[in-house]
Amino acid sequence: MSRITDLLGTETGYYLDHKCKTIDKSLLHLPEKNVIDNVWKDSDRSIPTLRSLQTIFGHGRLANTGYVSILPVDQGIEHTAGASFAPNPLYFDPENIVKLAIEGECNCVATTFGVLGSVARKYAHKIPFMVKINHNELLTYPTSYQQVMFGTIREAWNLGAVAVGATVYFGSEDSRRQLVEVAEAFEYAHELGMATVLWCYLRNSAFKKDGTDYHSSADVTAQANHIGVTIKRIL
C-alpha cells in the first residue's frame, strides 16, 4: 500500500479516499474468485464464451481474484508507433509487446491484428490474446473520430484470440454506425465463443465551451469506470 501512495503522490487522497454517495456498494458486483459463477454463469453467454472469460480471469498474477490486468497496445495504428515507441525503440518489434505482457504476468494482452498475427503461433498458448478490431487514424484533417474495422472476427478467432475489443466514440457523428458495426461483430464473436470488451469515449467538439474542455472530465470518468466497463462488458 505504501508503494501505491508513493506513486500517487499528491493525488493519493483524490483516488483512494473517495466515497460514492449515490450508489451503495452493496449494489455492486465486486471482484472475487468466483466471479464467473456469481456474475456471468446465469447470463445468456454461451458455454464457450464463459470458458474464454475464465481463461482471462484465471491467467497471470491476478488469476482467480476477480481482477483483470490487460496490457493494451494498439498505438501502432491509432496513435502511430513513432509517438508511442520512440523513447523505447525495442517496442517497434511487436514481439516485445507480448513478451512484456508475459513478464508482467498480465491476464491478457490486447493489441492489433498485425501484432498478434506476427506472433500468434509462438505465443497464443502462453497468454490470452484480445484483438482490437477497430481503430481511428490521425492523418485526416481536421481530426475525424471514425472508428473503422481493421479486420474480421473470423480472423481474430483464427489467431487463437479468446476475446475481441472495440471502441465507440459516443457523441461523434459516426457513433451510431460504430454501435451497429460493433454489435454485429460482437454477436459473431459470441457465436465463436469469444469474450468481448467495449471501450467507450466521448468525442464531440460541443463538449468544449468557454475555454473549458469537458472531454477531459468525461474521459477521466470513462477511465475511472474502465475496470467496471471491462468487467461489465466482457460479454
Side-chain angles (χ1 to χ4, degrees):
M1 192 64 182
S2 61
R3 175 61 173 160
I4 294 175
T5 56
D6 288 344
L7 290 171
L8 292 176
T10 58
E11 295 184 309
T12 298
Y14 177 81
Y15 287 109
L16 300 185
D17 295 336
H18 173 74
K19 292 184 179 180
C20 180
K21 299 179 180 180
T22 54
I23 300 176
D24 190 82
K25 66 180 181 180
S26 65
L27 301 175
L28 302 176
H29 292 293
L30 299 178
E32 45 89 24
K33 65 179 181 179
N34 295 318
V35 65
I36 302 299
D37 286 336
N38 294 336
V39 177
W40 304 113
K41 177 175 64 66
D42 295 324
S43 70
D44 62 348
R45 280 85 180 168
S46 67
I47 292 174
T49 298
L50 292 176
R51 185 171 59 233
S52 292
L53 281 169
Q54 182 57 50
T55 299
I56 295 173
F57 278 98
H59 187 84
R61 61 188 172 86
L62 296 178
N64 301 315
T65 63
Y67 290 91
V68 177
S69 172
I70 298 175
L71 178 66
V73 186
D74 61 345
Q75 290 92 334
I77 292 175
E78 192 143 345
H79 307 297
T80 77
S84 302
F85 307 136
N88 197 342
L90 284 176
Y91 289 90
F92 281 106
D93 180 349
E95 184 176 4
N96 286 328
I97 294 172
V98 181
K99 286 182 177 179
L100 179 63
I102 292 174
E103 184 176 348
E105 297 183 75
C106 295
N107 296 74
C108 181
V109 57
T111 187
T112 64
F113 283 99
V115 169
L116 297 180
S118 66
V119 299
R121 290 187 182 277
K122 189 173 182 179
Y123 292 104
H125 58 293
K126 297 179 180 179
I127 186 171
F129 282 179
M130 181 186 300
V131 181
K132 177 81 160 41
I133 60 174
N134 66 353
H135 298 276
N136 192 20
E137 47 79 23
L138 299 180
L139 295 177
T140 301
Y141 184 82
T143 302
S144 174
Y145 302 115
Q146 296 189 37
Q147 289 282 331
V148 178
M149 293 292 177
F150 267 66
T152 67
I153 297 299
R154 173 64 68 170
E155 183 181 0
W157 186 79
N158 285 335
L159 291 177
V162 300
V164 294
T167 293
V168 171
Y169 283 149
F170 287 93
S172 70
E173 292 183 359
D174 275 350
S175 60
R176 293 187 180 183
R177 187 261 305 164
Q178 293 166 24
L179 279 167
V180 172
E181 286 184 349
V182 171
E184 291 176 348
F186 280 9
E187 180 181 16
Y188 187 32
H190 292 156
E191 290 179 11
L192 294 176
M194 288 189 286
T196 61
V197 174
L198 180 65
W199 289 288
C200 306
Y201 301 92
L202 295 179
R203 291 291 185 270
N204 192 307
S205 59
F207 285 108
K208 294 183 179 180
K209 184 175 178 61
D210 299 329
T212 300
D213 186 355
Y214 293 97
H215 276 118
S216 300
S217 58
D219 280 345
V220 166
T221 301
Q223 293 296 339
N225 289 329
H226 184 66
I227 294 177
V229 169
T230 299
I231 293 176
K232 192 173 182 180
R233 291 296 298 163
I234 296 185
L235 302 180

